[in-house]
Amino acid sequence: MTVAQVLAVLVFATMFIMIVLDKIERHYVTMACGVLTIGLVFGAAMRSMEAIKETLNVSSIFTKDFWIVSGTAEESSSGINWATIIFIAGMMVMVEGMANAGFFRWLCMRLAKLVNYKPVPLFITFMIMAAVLSMFIDSITVILFLAAVTVELAKLLKIDPVPMILAEIFCANLGGSATMCGDPPNIIIGTGLGYSFEDFLTNTGVIAGICLVIIIVYFYIVYKKDLVQKEGEKVDVASLPNPKEAITNMKDFVISCIIFACAVVMLITHAKTGLTVAFIGIFIAIITLLTSGKKSIAILKKVDYKTIFFFIGLFMVVGGLEQTGILEVIAAFIGKISGGNLKLMVAIIIWLSATASAFVDNIPFAATMLPVIKSLAATAGVDLETLAWALSMGTDIGGSATPIGASANVVGTSVAAKNGYHITWGKYCKSAAPATIIVVTISMLFIFFRYC
């Protein structure tokens, strides 16, 4: 290994360990490691200004194809994926606008009322809602509001909210795997390979749909005894809160619903219209801020800038591995182990991704593995799409296995703890780990039969 390769690996390993230890906020970790990559790897070791330019990738923002492309979407350049950054920031702005209008709380209360607040139908409805919402909105936001409302309803209905929260977390992660905008790893894969919303929906979306049906049955069997109201404790449905009370401002509520509908339509049709996800993200953000009036400043303040900087630093560090050729070495190693067998490659990628994502953040893992599968497809002569779907399902679902595997898990268990319901590792993994194994296995077999 060259000096540059050794330094790139050391910086990356340091970043990963620091993220896992969680002693320093992760955006500080990735940005610091990103700066080290630029200074030590590209500057001191490689002395390559070209490597710095390619990794920072700022020039791509000022090209026409970054915003609008004709025909099939093109693969993005290496380095910082600015399309991912801009799209996530735009969706964050939209979600904050919807939250301020009371959209999420209203939706939860409305669906609860439709099933007449019965525990089992409510359990199934909230699982489906978690999956569907997470197809379009970040799963962290979905679980943040859904878990809070679940605790409130559980107290009113005198049932244990923990089974519902655990099932909602899993379904949110599963729903996120169905679309390009549902989960950050998918955004990275989609923008990095030029895949559209439709591409994900017709591939990982089909897998997620099949798995959702099976998982609903699984969680019902596991938790049906816990969804029974205590004997002798009747609930007066008439005394429960009216969904309309959740709406803070009707005008803002209607506007937020229209903006959300526009975002969904633009994402579904972007492959045909030529509008990139970067364009959609910035457009939705601007419309949200313009229609919010004086509240726009408050919305901008609530945007999670830490996550934005986390992504920027992450892409810089991964750029170091890419520019020094480390990722090509990893791809060659996987290719050698598999002997060019596509099924074995899929099995390695999906289980490696799932296992790693159960214990470490799936975002840096997806960002690291993306150029690996690109190199693997080029050298082994296998279909890149097949490897992409395996990577997507592995990283998206693997994180569901443990309380720390995905951000939605941490948020959901934290909301439960704040309300007096402590979820231990044992309690979480008892139902989530088997569910993860079931979904990853089904995903692998589906990819075998459909693509291999």
Side-chain angles (χ1 to χ4, degrees):
M1 292 179 73
T2 65
V3 175
Q5 288 178 324
V6 172
L7 287 173
V9 171
L10 284 174
V11 171
F12 179 79
T14 301
M15 179 194 75
F16 234 111
I17 292 169
M18 294 297 287
I19 290 174
V20 173
L21 292 176
D22 199 25
K23 298 295 183 182
I24 303 173
E25 289 190 77
R26 61 181 192 170
H27 65 288
Y28 289 131
V29 173
T30 60
M31 286 301 294
C33 290
V35 172
L36 284 175
T37 299
I38 298 295
L40 291 179
V41 180
F42 300 150
M46 294 177 65
R47 297 181 182 178
S48 173
M49 184 57 69
E50 190 62 31
I52 295 174
K53 287 180 180 179
E54 286 184 14
T55 299
L56 293 180
N57 199 24
V58 177
S59 60
S60 66
I61 301 174
F62 303 100
T63 61
K64 176 180 174 292
D65 287 335
F66 185 83
W67 304 100
I68 302 173
V69 294
S70 54
T72 306
E74 297 182 2
E75 184 180 319
S76 71
S77 303
S78 60
I80 298 176
N81 192 328
W82 291 109
T84 296
I85 303 294
I86 293 171
F87 176 70
I88 290 177
M91 296 304 283
M92 283 179 178
V93 171
M94 181 193 74
V95 166
E96 286 300 333
M98 295 172 70
N100 283 342
F103 174 84
F104 299 108
R105 186 174 175 79
W106 169 83
L107 182 61
C108 292
M109 300 303 291
R110 182 64 183 165
L111 288 175
K113 189 175 182 179
L114 284 175
V115 297
N116 203 30
Y117 301 100
K118 293 180 179 178
V120 173
L122 190 66
F123 179 68
I124 296 171
T125 301
F126 272 38
M127 277 195 287
I128 295 171
M129 179 169 60
V132 173
L133 281 178
S134 294
M135 291 170 65
F136 307 100
I137 301 171
D138 182 72
S139 58
I140 300 171
T141 303
V142 172
I143 291 300
L144 186 63
F145 290 95
L146 198 53
V149 175
T150 297
V151 170
E152 181 181 342
L153 285 172
K155 287 179 178 178
L156 292 171
L157 298 176
K158 298 177 176 61
I159 58 174
D160 184 6
V162 172
M164 291 184 67
I165 291 174
L166 293 178
E168 288 160 7
I169 290 171
F170 193 93
C171 289
N173 289 328
L174 180 58
S177 69
T179 66
M180 194 181 84
C181 61
D183 215 25
N186 284 12
I187 300 173
I188 292 170
I189 294 168
T191 54
L193 299 178
Y195 295 158
S196 68
F197 185 95
E198 186 179 349
D199 290 330
F200 275 91
L201 195 62
T202 54
N203 289 281
T204 58
V206 175
I207 300 173
I210 294 170
C211 292
L212 179 62
V213 175
I214 296 169
I215 286 304
I216 288 173
V217 174
Y218 165 80
F219 275 113
Y220 170 70
I221 293 171
V222 171
Y223 288 126
K224 61 181 178 180
K225 293 181 180 178
D226 299 303
L227 298 172
V228 180
Q229 292 171 330
K230 294 179 181 179
E231 194 174 339
E233 293 188 350
K234 292 184 178 180
V235 178
D236 183 10
V237 176
S239 65
L240 296 175
N242 191 313
K244 290 183 179 179
E245 295 174 7
I247 301 174
T248 57
N249 183 296
M250 183 55 72
K251 179 184 175 182
D252 291 344
F253 178 81
V254 172
I255 290 173
S256 67
C257 288
I258 294 172
I259 293 173
F260 178 59
C262 288
V264 172
V265 171
M266 291 175 77
L267 285 167
I268 292 174
T269 61
H270 84 95
K272 296 179 177 62
T273 61
L275 301 177
T276 65
V277 291
F279 179 93
I280 294 170
I282 200 96
F283 176 79
I284 291 298
I286 291 171
I287 294 299
T288 300
L289 294 173
L290 288 176
T291 55
S292 298
K294 295 179 180 179
K295 295 179 181 178
S296 59
I297 302 298
I299 290 174
L300 284 173
K301 287 181 179 179
K302 289 183 179 179
V303 170
D304 187 2
Y305 294 104
K306 292 180 180 180
T307 297
I308 302 299
F309 285 113
F310 167 76
F311 271 107
I312 293 172
L314 169 64
F315 283 126
M316 290 164 68
V317 176
V318 174
L321 297 178
E322 190 170 8
Q323 292 291 334
T324 56
I326 289 295
L327 298 180
E328 291 179 8
V329 174
I330 296 173
F333 179 70
I334 295 175
K336 186 178 180 180
I337 292 176
S338 62
N341 185 302
L342 181 56
K343 284 187 177 180
L344 190 52
M345 284 184 197
V346 167
I348 291 171
I349 289 170
I350 197 167
W351 284 106
L352 176 64
S353 302
T355 304
S357 297
F359 301 99
V360 299
D361 200 309
N362 59 5
I363 298 172
F365 188 84
T368 306
M369 285 297 292
L370 179 61
V372 170
I373 65 169
K374 285 161 64 178
S375 178
L376 189 58
T379 54
V382 297
D383 183 31
L384 177 58
E385 278 198 19
T386 303
L387 301 183
W389 307 142
L391 177 61
S392 172
M393 294 307 298
T395 51
D396 291 339
I397 304 305
S400 301
T402 66
I404 62 169
S407 299
N409 311 7
V410 177
V411 169
T413 52
S414 297
V415 171
K418 286 178 183 177
N419 287 276
Y421 300 94
H422 181 62
I423 301 174
T424 62
W425 264 69
K427 192 168 190 176
Y428 183 97
C429 295
K430 187 177 180 180
S431 63
T436 302
I437 294 171
I438 290 170
V439 173
V440 174
T441 303
I442 293 171
S443 301
M444 182 183 68
L445 294 175
F446 183 92
I447 292 171
F448 282 173
F449 287 115
R450 183 173 178 181
Y451 308 104
C452 299

